[in-house]
Amino acid sequence: MGRKKIFITRKINSIALELLKKYYDVILNNKTDSPSKNVMIKKVKNVYGILCTLSEKIDSDIMDAAGSNLKVISTLSTGYDHIDICEATKRGIYVTTTGNILSEATADLTFGLLLALSRKIVQGHLYIIDGKWKKGWTPNLFLGNNIHGSTLGILGLGNIGTAVAKRANGFNMNIMYNNRHQLSKSIENKLNVTFVTFDQLLENSDFLSIHTSFNNDNFHLIDSRELKKMKKTSFLINTSRGNIINESSLIKAIKNKWIAGAGLDVFEKEPLPIQNELLKLKNVILLPHLGSATVQTRYRMSEVAAINLHNILSKKKPLFLVNKALVQNLS
Ligand code: DGY
């Protein structure tokens, strides 16, 4: 029997690629862009493993096209909302992720957005670039708000939320959180965080930062009702998934000054269409999904994705498994 075939949907770093090439017959879509669904359907025929990214939807059509050899879908991401987990589990296909590898990098970027929003860093930069800085130091130029002493609301205190809380302590912020489950008192004390209800979080945060993973239950969790409850001076930050916020309601909220602004790294539709109203608003900072985008983090993520795939095909436990119901067949 020849080597097992695997499909990699996009260019990944060469170390991960070399690792996989040692063991498998690699079909690589050697492009920076995602393949279309039709291309994927052709390429996955008879593969044992798919290494994908969050931009490719892996549904029952793709699993059908791969056929019964398919044992593992390893995503080069921590989010897995682009994969039909129920369908994969039903078929005995393992789904693996990059787990907590990106938490620190994403928390750093979240803080970057928080600092940039409250201290008008982007506006200040553009002011100089646009040749508008004519008078030297000016008493009331671009006055922002203190970060120290302000309240950070964290929605979802998992790995990334925790990394954000640690940074917020260094900035002397008051930290509140809301989660599906309240954490133990000892963790709360260690992180210096207070559990509040969802509505209390909305009403009291100066910065509300979203770190819950996206699932069927939190589609448009932040909508007009929620935005109206927030402080008029508050900022909303999202480095999780775009679909958690109803973007049209957010646009309305910023235009009508229900909140002061937003820092967004993720959107309902990516790439963000150029005609999207968000591009016309002054009080927003928009980034092209850069949460995990550091050399070190992306390198480690692709290495982990390669190891996960190889472990499953060697019947070993991967580093991060989503459908844990299947774990008993691994050593
Ligand atoms: C993820 O991995 O889920 C991030 O959104 C992108 O790196």
Side-chain angles (χ1 to χ4, degrees):
M1 192 182 121
R3 292 174 4 136
K4 289 177 175 160
K5 278 206 289 185
I6 63 164
F7 176 55
I8 303 179
T9 58
R10 295 162 94 163
K11 253 189 201 163
I12 56 171
N13 88 49
S14 56
I15 295 284
L17 190 59
E18 288 321 309
L19 188 150
L20 291 170
K21 275 188 177 164
K22 257 206 274 180
Y23 302 100
Y24 305 102
D25 187 359
V26 175
I27 306 166
L28 172 67
N29 178 46
N30 200 10
K31 305 218 167 89
T32 42
D33 292 346
S34 290
S36 67
K37 184 164 184 177
N38 281 344
V39 168
M40 284 216 288
I41 283 181
K42 283 192 196 119
K43 301 261 185 193
V44 296
K45 202 163 182 296
N46 295 329
V47 298
Y48 285 76
I50 299 175
L51 195 154
C52 64
T53 73
L54 59 90
S55 316
E56 295 100 41
K57 199 168 156 50
I58 310 291
D59 56 14
S60 57
D61 296 341
I62 302 292
M63 297 180 209
D64 282 344
S68 58
N69 284 345
L70 185 62
K71 294 288 169 298
V72 53
I73 300 163
S74 167
T75 182
L76 185 85
S77 64
T78 291
Y80 50 85
D81 45 292
H82 54 296
I83 303 172
D84 188 336
I85 303 296
C86 282
E87 195 58 46
T89 310
K90 220 164 59 190
R91 297 169 187 234
I93 301 168
Y94 295 84
V95 178
T96 63
T97 71
T98 53
N100 62 6
I101 301 296
L102 50 59
S103 304
E104 299 294 326
T106 307
D108 286 342
L109 191 86
T110 301
F111 246 83
L113 284 171
L114 189 152
L115 291 166
L117 285 166
S118 57
R119 298 304 306 271
K120 305 186 189 285
I121 291 174
V122 177
Q123 286 104 310
H125 173 76
L126 292 174
Y127 188 71
I128 296 185
I129 297 286
D130 294 344
K132 293 181 179 157
W133 194 31
K134 307 268 202 260
K135 290 189 185 149
W137 186 86
T138 307
N140 290 326
L141 185 63
F142 291 125
L143 299 188
N145 281 291
N146 283 344
I147 294 164
H148 63 273
S150 67
T151 297
L152 171 65
I154 299 179
L155 185 60
L157 200 70
N159 291 320
I160 302 173
T162 298
V164 169
K166 286 183 183 158
R167 283 153 180 76
N169 275 307
F171 277 85
N172 282 335
M173 300 178 85
N174 308 311
I175 315 165
M176 295 177 166
Y177 79 100
N178 179 261
N179 217 22
R180 253 177 309 165
H181 309 291
Q182 181 169 3
L183 300 174
S184 69
K185 278 281 161 247
S186 71
I187 297 182
E188 286 186 347
N189 290 342
K190 205 165 128 200
L191 290 174
N192 196 19
V193 296
T194 309
F195 182 79
V196 292
T197 64
F198 179 50
D199 281 359
Q200 283 169 336
L201 193 80
L202 298 167
E203 285 158 8
N204 293 295
S205 299
D206 295 308
F207 301 92
L208 175 62
S209 194
I210 300 177
H211 299 291
T212 149
S213 51
F214 177 61
N215 55 52
N216 292 336
D217 300 331
N218 60 20
F219 176 76
H220 285 184
L221 177 68
I222 305 290
D223 211 323
S224 295
R225 183 199 83 94
E226 289 68 32
L227 291 158
K228 279 185 179 153
K229 278 193 175 288
M230 290 175 65
K231 291 186 186 180
K232 290 197 175 1
T233 49
S234 68
F235 293 100
L236 180 63
I237 299 168
N238 191 6
T239 53
S240 174
R241 283 292 181 268
N243 283 321
I244 297 173
I245 299 177
N246 183 338
E247 241 163 50
S248 343
S249 306
L250 176 62
I251 291 164
K252 210 189 305 164
I254 295 173
K255 280 186 176 166
N256 293 322
K257 301 194 173 20
W258 302 345
I259 65 171
L264 307 172
D265 184 43
V266 288
F267 304 91
E268 289 203 55
K269 190 168 180 344
E270 295 180 9
L272 185 65
I274 195 77
Q275 63 279 11
N276 188 299
E277 287 278 304
L278 282 169
L279 272 75
K280 299 188 191 125
L281 301 178
K282 285 218 173 70
N283 310 343
V284 298
I285 297 178
L286 310 173
L287 295 177
H289 206 144
L290 297 181
S292 65
T294 68
V295 173
Q296 300 81 353
T297 301
R298 286 282 168 84
Y299 179 96
R300 182 68 186 140
M301 284 170 76
S302 36
E303 204 172 36
V304 165
I307 293 170
N308 282 338
L309 186 144
H310 182 50
N311 278 13
I312 295 287
L313 293 184
S314 317
K315 294 200 168 18
K316 286 198 210 123
K317 285 188 185 135
L319 299 173
F320 303 101
L321 178 65
V322 177
N323 38 8
K324 300 213 168 53
L326 301 178
V327 79
Q328 70 269 13
N329 307 322
L330 305 168
S331 58

